[in-house]
Amino acid sequence: MDHINNIYSFLLLTGYLKAIKNLGENQYELIIPNKEVYEIYKQTFMAYFEDYTTSRKNELYQELIQGDTKKVNLLLNDILLRSISYFDNQESFYHGFLVGLLNDYEVTSNREVGHGRFDVCVLPDSILGTVVLIECKHSISEDDLIDDAREGVQQIIDQKYLEERRFKKYENVVGYGFSFYKKQCYVVKMNNNSK
């Protein structure tokens, strides 16, 4: 039961999930069959997921500050795989997903800076901390993930987001391009992460 597909199969076979639509290629739309089972999910499975997400999102934030894109990619892909619906694949959804994932920190979004608007910014507690600025992209295919993440970084550079006056008081500022396609993502970090 250490793999999410095994858990879904078990829940389906025991009646805790019900298949209502065949989506093709061994994919099905599932529902929770009744209110009683929903309460079990709410109390048990959601509590597990919240505990899992809490520990992972703290780790994600630390890796963003450290600049380890390999670990950021692994963590974020794992969280996406365990959490979102296959059909929730629009840029606005992923934007909100990131804001929610980082909500334990001071997060701002869609603010005007430089020559445009950034997607997500996490401000540190002190001037000695690192500002994390993220530009999100929604890829139209898996093949576009890397190029779209790089495009996010290029947008940060072109629009001069990191040159914003309010970021100057912090010791470090780092920019990331995030691209998403269904339950996958790719993260690229700007080469120069400090002033």
Side-chain angles (χ1 to χ4, degrees), residues 24-155:
E25 296 182 33
N26 293 323
Q27 295 180 5
Y28 298 87
E29 185 174 337
L30 305 173
I31 63 166
I32 297 171
N34 57 45
K35 288 182 182 179
E36 292 80 10
V37 173
Y38 172 74
E39 286 302 316
I40 292 170
Y41 274 101
K42 202 163 92 173
Q43 294 171 11
T44 307
F45 298 111
M46 293 307 290
Y48 162 78
F49 179 71
E50 286 171 10
D51 290 345
Y52 165 82
T53 304
T54 298
S55 68
R56 297 301 250 176
K57 67 186 184 180
N58 292 333
E59 191 177 350
L60 175 66
Y61 177 67
Q62 292 306 315
E63 297 304 340
L64 285 167
I65 289 172
Q66 296 300 322
D68 190 335
T69 54
K70 182 172 179 145
K71 286 185 181 176
V72 170
N73 273 298
L74 290 170
L75 283 165
L76 198 52
N77 275 286
D78 186 51
I79 293 168
L80 284 168
L81 184 64
R82 292 174 186 254
S83 63
I84 71 160
S85 166
Y86 180 85
F87 296 102
D88 292 332
N89 59 347
Q90 298 175 29
E91 186 171 330
S92 60
F93 171 80
Y94 294 116
H95 180 136
F97 174 77
L98 283 175
V99 170
L101 200 56
L102 297 167
N103 70 351
D104 288 346
Y105 308 97
E106 187 179 341
V107 177
T108 58
S109 67
N110 287 324
R111 296 283 170 87
E112 287 187 24
V113 293
H115 302 300
R117 289 177 177 267
F118 63 75
D119 284 327
V120 178
C121 179
V122 185
L123 297 172
D125 293 336
S126 79
I127 61 170
L128 301 176
T130 300
V131 174
V132 176
L133 195 127
I134 300 168
E135 187 59 37
C136 298
K137 297 294 177 191
H138 175 240
S139 298
I140 58 171
S141 77
E142 184 179 355
D143 296 338
D144 298 321
L145 280 167
I146 294 173
D147 288 341
D148 289 344
R150 289 179 179 148
E151 182 183 318
V153 166
Q154 194 60 49
Q155 183 175 335

Side-chain angles (χ1 to χ4, degrees), residues 10-21:
F10 175 76
L11 293 171
L12 185 63
L13 291 171
T14 57
Y16 285 88
L17 285 174
K18 181 179 175 184
I20 60 168
K21 188 176 182 182

